[in-house]
Amino acid sequence: MKQVLKESLPTNGDTSVLAGVYGPAEVKVSKEIFNKATLEVNLRPKIGLPGVAEKSRERLIRNTCEAVVLGALHPRTSITVVLQVVSDAGSLLACCLNAACMALVDAGVPMRALFCGVTCALDSDGTLLLDPTAKQEKEARAVLTFALDSVERKLLMSTTKGLYSDAELQQCLAAAQAASQHVFRFYRESLQRRYSKS
């Protein structure tokens, strides 16, 4: 079975994550799923060992990837996404989601749609900020991160921290859906640049 390794380095402002995809490859019998590929995500912090925050992000990223990857095309195999934080200046989960998507596309892993991550922050007076910095996230009343697909801008995953109203949640989701168009355009332009070179 062939093994594929692809890396990409997307950035959200000053936040950057290096991503690699390994697989489809042989899987341990204990992790084998007979009708689809086993998807694993490993998130490594800039320094030190992964902690609770990284494990939580790994689960969110894995669930998002599983929603779009056509794992049934590679049963009884393993696809591993490895994410290495290069710098974290805010909106880290969104950057990790974007890095994972670009790496999966670059590796040729079959997916039903692309996906992207967008982070929103609400400050004390209700002002909405897209792609907040670490300082803005710290000072914000609420921070919301969404994963959206490229076909219908459907919500694949959301995680929130802080206090917000239902109306603010809908406002943030609408802003994230609008911002996702720019992210998908960036994907398209990046892939065109990469594959138009001969």
Side-chain angles (χ1 to χ4, degrees):
M1 184 163 298
K2 81 175 183 179
Q3 190 164 359
V4 181
L5 162 65
K6 294 291 178 181
E7 295 182 347
S8 57
L9 185 70
T11 62
N12 277 23
D14 292 329
T15 301
S16 58
V17 175
L18 183 66
V21 171
Y22 301 85
E26 201 172 330
V27 65
K28 290 179 185 172
V29 176
S30 62
K31 292 184 176 183
E32 184 179 271
I33 303 173
F34 78 94
N35 64 346
K36 65 177 185 172
T38 301
L39 195 79
E40 293 183 71
V41 175
N42 297 317
L43 177 58
R44 298 182 177 142
K46 186 175 179 181
I47 48 172
L49 296 169
V52 176
E54 285 79 22
K55 293 298 175 193
S56 174
R57 286 188 186 110
E58 281 177 2
R59 185 179 45 79
L60 294 168
I61 296 163
R62 186 184 67 243
N63 291 345
T64 303
C65 292
E66 283 177 343
V68 294
V69 169
L70 299 172
L73 296 177
H74 299 285
R76 295 183 171 168
T77 62
S78 168
I79 298 170
T80 305
V81 180
V82 180
L83 301 162
Q84 172 66 58
V85 177
V86 178
S87 66
D88 179 8
S91 304
L92 180 62
L93 179 57
C95 189
C96 288
L97 287 162
N98 297 337
C101 182
M102 288 298 282
L104 287 165
V105 168
D106 203 32
V109 175
M111 298 191 290
R112 65 172 183 78
L114 300 180
F115 61 91
C116 76
V118 180
T119 299
C120 304
L122 292 166
D123 63 16
S124 53
D125 61 357
T127 305
L128 190 148
L129 300 165
L130 283 170
D131 193 21
T133 63
K135 183 175 185 255
Q136 290 169 331
E137 281 184 12
K138 206 174 206 178
E139 295 169 352
R141 174 169 47 96
V143 178
L144 304 90
T145 301
F146 304 99
L148 303 156
D149 81 353
S150 61
V151 179
E152 297 174 21
R153 308 287 188 270
K154 275 189 185 171
L155 184 64
L156 299 173
M157 180 278 301
S158 70
T159 181
T160 63
K161 184 176 83 174
L163 301 170
Y164 53 88
S165 66
D166 288 344
E168 287 173 329
L169 173 65
Q170 293 304 320
Q171 179 190 6
C172 289
L173 180 55
Q177 287 171 324
S180 71
Q181 295 175 9
H182 300 289
V183 178
F184 293 128
R185 187 181 311 121
F186 168 76
Y187 286 178
R188 201 165 34 251
E189 289 168 0
S190 297
L191 291 168
Q192 283 171 347
R193 277 195 307 272
R194 180 173 177 89
Y195 294 112
S196 65
K197 296 174 184 174
S198 32

